[in-house]
Amino acid sequence: MPPLHPPRAATPDVTALPEHSPDSPLSVHDVTVAYRHKPVLWDVDFDAPPGAMIAIVGPNGAGKSTLLKAALGLVPLASGGVAFWGKPFAKVRRRVAYVPQRESVDWEFPVSVLDVAAMGRYGRLGWFRRVGRADRDAAMACLERVGMDGYAGRQIAELSGGQQQRVFIARALAQEADLYLMDEPLAGVDAATERTIIGVLGGLRSAGKTIVAVHHDLQTVPEYFDHALLINTRVIAAGPVAGVFTKPNLHATYGGRLTLMDEAAQELARTMEGLR
Amino acid sequence: MSSLMDILLFRAGHNTAVVLVGCVVLGVSAAVVGAFAVLRKRALMADALGHATLPGIALGFMISAAFNGTGRETAALLLGATATGVVGVLAVQGILATRRLREDAAIGAVLSVFFGVGAVLLSRIQALPGADAGGLTHLILGQTASMRSGDAWLIAGAGAFAVAVVALLYKELRLVAFDQEFARVQGWPVAGLDLAVMTLVTVVTVVGLQAVGLILVVALLIIPPAAARFWTDRLGVMLVVAGVIGGASGAGGAAVSAVSRNLPIGALIVLFAGAIFLAGLLAAPRRGIVASVVRTARLRLLVASHHRLRELLGGPSDPLGAHERLADLALRRRGLAASTPAGLVLTEAGRRRALELEHAERWWIDRFGTTPGSGPPPSADAVEHILSPGLIDRLDGRSRGGDRP
């Protein structure tokens, strides 16, 4: 075969891809994040394929939520970089919707369900402009997509956990983004809500959107997602679910035994602590 | 001496009217600004700020005394108050940034140290020869007898500014208070908006010093919005209600203080606000204590009456405990049961009601192995009227699917 491309790009090796591919809605390059002295993410390298549903999977404390937060600039990177469609996040904010964990807000806050969904419109409204009829209609349509239109006037404290989650997803839909980063969208929701949410996410994927979701239920990963990113501080494996969801990979992700590297790191940390 | 009514209708002379206007505007603006401090869980920061103004007041006095002798220049005092107040807030944030202390401890430490420094400086001032430091202690507990129309204008201007900023930034402040992470991801300057709220809190605190004093000014920021929350679930309504409560407390405190010359106005304003808060805590329709006690008692009585109805279906029996005795009383009054020499027995209407209940419970148990929610099961008839046909089909489908335990 004649070499049509420069040799670097011709190798089908992930590490050889250009640093921030403009095709990938989200490329995470060598990201390390540390809280105090403990690294939470170590050299994470990952390109999200466009138009896919990608699950971030790993045990508690593996850095799944932190990866989303680091990508969105909510926690500082110790090193590495993140690009969205090859651009810095600040340039493409509107195209990226974030669904935080439900527990991250106070549900006693005095707002209605429709108010929360309409918050997805604030980015395009800009400073000082009030939420108008068009925005309310758009927010209402999004509530309808998640089956919450009947609750539009309710105070958010009256909702069940699954309903709260659906309202958060409606808020993200109202943003009309191209990439959706979701932190455990199916955590603690009932079976009917799970079906509704998966239906909505499937609709987004059919429309060419990309979804990256932290997911805790290993059993449903192959059914719901196309791709998976297995992490436990480091990336264990990434790619199409069928190829990635292997016993050795899952064992490496969830396995109880510390690797030699981790032991060495902990030893080092203890020594440093002793020297302070 | 003027009556309360005269004072509230501005018929008690210029000075009293000035004080009244000042206190009402202060009450309204502190409530509106304070609502966002409370919702953003920053309310106690305002307390640190208030106490941290004391050393600045003393320093302002000393500096202006060094220049013109009397030291009672309002501008110097308020500028000094602002300066150390801001330093106090920054100190709290600095301590929090080191992640060594929790917020409550950091606020407590800063608040007391700054207040201590202020107290030491004040005692030095009182020992200065020729200094008229008498007015300074009013800034601690508040005293409006000395409020002049210039001061009232200052409060009115600052209050109007604060309310205008909140109105302008309503959407943004609400977003940050509800979900700051989402706001940051959308590109809103969360730190800048927080700073805006803290600036308004500072403005209201400093202009409020003369009226209510630095110890109690935080009450005007916190109590009215907290009281307003009892009455509404909407932020917009809550701001209006909080403003009304704040303004009414200001008016009430000013009026009572004018009638009884020697009661401190700051304390009176806070007592009015506190009384309104207490009324809401007890009597608000859904969030009040009385309403919630009544709701619980009603539910218990309902459960006990249903239990008794079913029990009496099997023959006369004695009630167990207070709830069942009350339930028996309710059943007799509704004509569902009647006293006989043998004991309580069901009437014909009571028998029908009891059978209905049994039927409803069987309907649920047969289908799903359990009844929905807590409390007595809704009757099958009610189910067909309340639930959508789609949901009933889904429920039926589930039961046929062998999901039963």
Side-chain angles (χ1 to χ4, degrees):
Chain A
M1 191 168 32
L4 291 173
H5 303 285
R8 227 172 96 84
T11 3
D13 180 6
V14 177
T15 54
L17 281 172
E19 280 194 13
H20 294 316
S21 152
D23 296 333
S24 171
L26 170 65
S27 16
V28 175
H29 180 71
D30 280 352
V31 159
T32 295
V33 172
Y35 289 140
R36 305 220 207 168
H37 353 271
K38 190 174 168 282
V40 186
L41 292 174
W42 190 264
D43 268 354
V44 172
D45 218 85
F46 172 67
D47 281 274
M53 266 175 81
I54 302 140
I56 302 180
V57 176
N60 286 336
K64 305 184 295 287
S65 301
T66 305
L67 179 58
L68 292 188
K69 289 184 180 179
L72 294 166
L74 291 173
V75 298
L77 306 181
S79 72
V82 177
F84 295 81
W85 298 281
K87 299 192 183 76
F89 180 52
K91 293 245 161 86
V92 290
R93 263 180 216 289
R94 294 256 210 93
R95 297 177 62 193
V96 181
Y98 175 48
V99 179
Q101 282 185 17
R102 239 175 337 114
E103 294 77 19
S104 66
V105 304
D106 172 12
W107 290 92
E108 286 289 315
F109 196 88
V111 284
S112 71
V113 166
L114 184 61
D115 289 335
V116 173
M119 286 175 185
R121 310 294 294 178
Y122 285 11
R124 65 186 63 221
L125 273 173
W127 284 95
F128 312 127
R129 297 227 331 257
R130 291 293 155 104
V131 175
R133 168 164 285 279
D135 300 301
R136 266 196 295 274
D137 289 348
M140 198 64 194
C142 295
L143 286 175
E144 216 173 306
R145 280 163 74 184
V146 296
M148 286 296 291
D149 45 320
Y151 296 80
R154 296 275 188 97
Q155 145 75 8
I156 55 173
E158 296 170 28
L159 305 181
S160 71
Q163 292 170 334
Q164 292 173 347
Q165 195 65 58
R166 284 190 270 163
V167 172
F168 261 14
I169 287 171
R171 179 175 71 171
L173 294 176
Q175 209 181 317
E176 294 173 26
D178 297 314
L179 169 65
Y180 293 80
L181 302 183
M182 305 186 165
D183 202 343
E184 303 236 18
L186 300 176
V189 306
D190 53 283
T193 297
E194 184 159 324
R195 277 197 296 277
T196 308
I197 292 176
I198 287 301
V200 168
L201 300 189
L204 289 173
R205 175 176 51 186
S206 309
K209 319 283 188 186
T210 308
I211 296 126
V212 179
V214 172
H215 191 59
H216 60 285
D217 181 8
L218 287 178
Q219 295 197 327
T220 51
V221 170
E223 184 188 344
Y224 294 160
F225 294 90
D226 323 311
H227 282 245
L229 168 67
L230 267 53
I231 59 172
N232 190 348
T233 308
R234 297 176 186 78
V235 173
I236 308 295
V241 173
V244 170
F245 250 52
T246 63
K247 253 202 176 122
N249 278 346
L250 289 173
H251 189 77
T253 311
Y254 288 88
R257 278 198 54 204
L258 294 172
T259 64
L260 214 55
M261 288 270 283
D262 284 322
E263 258 176 66
Q266 284 199 345
E267 187 66 36
L268 219 59
R270 266 199 298 275
T271 316
M272 301 282 281
E273 200 70 38
L275 289 176
R276 289 166 57 119
Chain B
M1 178 154 297
S2 320
S3 78
L4 272 179
M5 230 36 221
D6 286 336
I7 293 165
L8 290 172
L9 295 173
F10 297 102
R11 290 193 302 233
H14 181 68
N15 278 345
T16 315
V18 162
V19 170
L20 182 65
V21 170
C23 289
V24 169
V25 175
L26 179 67
V28 173
S29 53
V32 171
V33 170
F36 284 98
V38 169
L39 289 173
R40 189 81 175 89
K41 317 228 172 346
R42 294 282 162 84
L44 281 178
M45 202 71 114
D47 204 17
L49 173 77
H51 282 76
T53 58
L54 188 58
I57 291 166
L59 286 173
F61 180 91
M62 286 157 102
I63 290 170
S64 75
F67 282 101
N68 71 11
T70 72
R72 295 216 43 212
E73 298 300 320
T74 309
L77 300 183
L78 297 191
L79 278 178
T82 309
T84 55
V86 169
V87 171
V89 169
L90 293 179
V92 172
Q93 276 169 350
I95 292 172
L96 290 179
T98 67
R99 298 175 178 230
R100 294 287 188 281
L101 273 188
R102 280 172 35 163
E103 191 174 22
D104 51 354
I107 288 174
V110 167
L111 174 155
S112 44
V113 168
F114 274 68
F115 194 73
V117 171
V120 168
L121 290 177
L122 269 193
S123 70
R124 299 297 304 154
I125 288 171
Q126 259 135 9
L128 286 179
D132 170 22
L136 288 190
T137 48
H138 292 330
L139 292 174
I140 299 177
L141 280 175
Q143 172 62 269
T144 34
S146 59
M147 196 191 275
R148 293 177 222 300
S149 53
D151 303 330
W153 278 113
L154 178 68
I155 291 175
F161 168 75
V163 172
V165 172
V166 168
L168 198 63
L169 291 175
Y170 176 70
K171 172 179 103 236
E172 289 78 6
L173 293 178
R174 177 168 78 169
L175 177 66
V176 168
F178 173 59
D179 191 347
Q180 60 115 356
E181 283 196 340
F182 182 80
R184 273 173 68 190
V185 169
Q186 288 218 321
W188 298 101
V190 172
L193 288 162
D194 279 341
L195 183 68
V197 172
M198 270 325 279
T199 305
L200 296 181
V201 166
T202 309
V203 166
V204 170
T205 303
V206 168
V207 301
L209 287 181
Q210 295 194 82
V212 292
L214 59 87
I215 292 179
L216 293 178
V217 72
V218 65
L220 285 192
L221 289 159
I222 296 177
I223 298 177
R229 187 67 182 86
F230 290 127
W231 301 94
T232 175
D233 282 333
R234 289 299 146 82
L235 182 56
V237 181
M238 180 181 144
L239 290 182
V240 173
V241 174
V244 169
I245 293 174
S249 308
V256 172
S257 155
V259 171
S260 65
R261 287 280 161 195
N262 48 10
L263 290 179
I265 189 161
L268 287 171
I269 294 176
V270 172
L271 286 179
F272 265 96
I276 297 172
F277 174 89
L278 195 62
L281 175 68
L282 291 174
R286 283 189 330 107
R287 304 176 71 92
I289 288 176
V290 172
S292 108
V293 167
V294 167
R295 257 199 314 274
T296 311
R298 275 215 182 116
L299 179 64
R300 287 205 177 130
L301 185 61
L302 186 70
V303 171
S305 342
H306 283 183
H307 185 235
R308 286 295 287 157
L309 268 175
R310 310 254 319 270
E311 211 168 48
L312 291 171
L313 207 53
S317 75
D318 290 327
L320 283 173
H323 282 116
E324 292 200 354
R325 269 194 292 279
L326 265 178
D328 283 359
L329 195 69
L331 293 179
R332 282 213 306 272
R333 287 187 54 182
R334 281 162 60 203
L336 297 175
S339 286
T340 65
L344 198 66
V345 293
L346 292 180
T347 63
E348 193 43 45
R351 274 185 64 81
R352 267 203 311 276
R353 182 82 191 94
L355 288 170
E356 257 171 50
L357 282 171
E358 286 216 317
H359 175 72
E361 190 173 313
R362 257 204 315 278
W363 190 89
W364 285 97
I365 302 274
D366 283 354
R367 271 150 203 260
F368 313 114
T370 178
T371 56
S374 52
S379 73
D381 197 38
V383 168
E384 273 150 26
H385 283 107
I386 296 165
L387 302 184
S388 68
L391 183 54
I392 293 178
D393 284 350
R394 293 221 313 271
L395 287 168
D396 282 346
R398 212 184 90 168
S399 71
R400 277 196 299 274
D403 243 5
R404 269 164 58 183

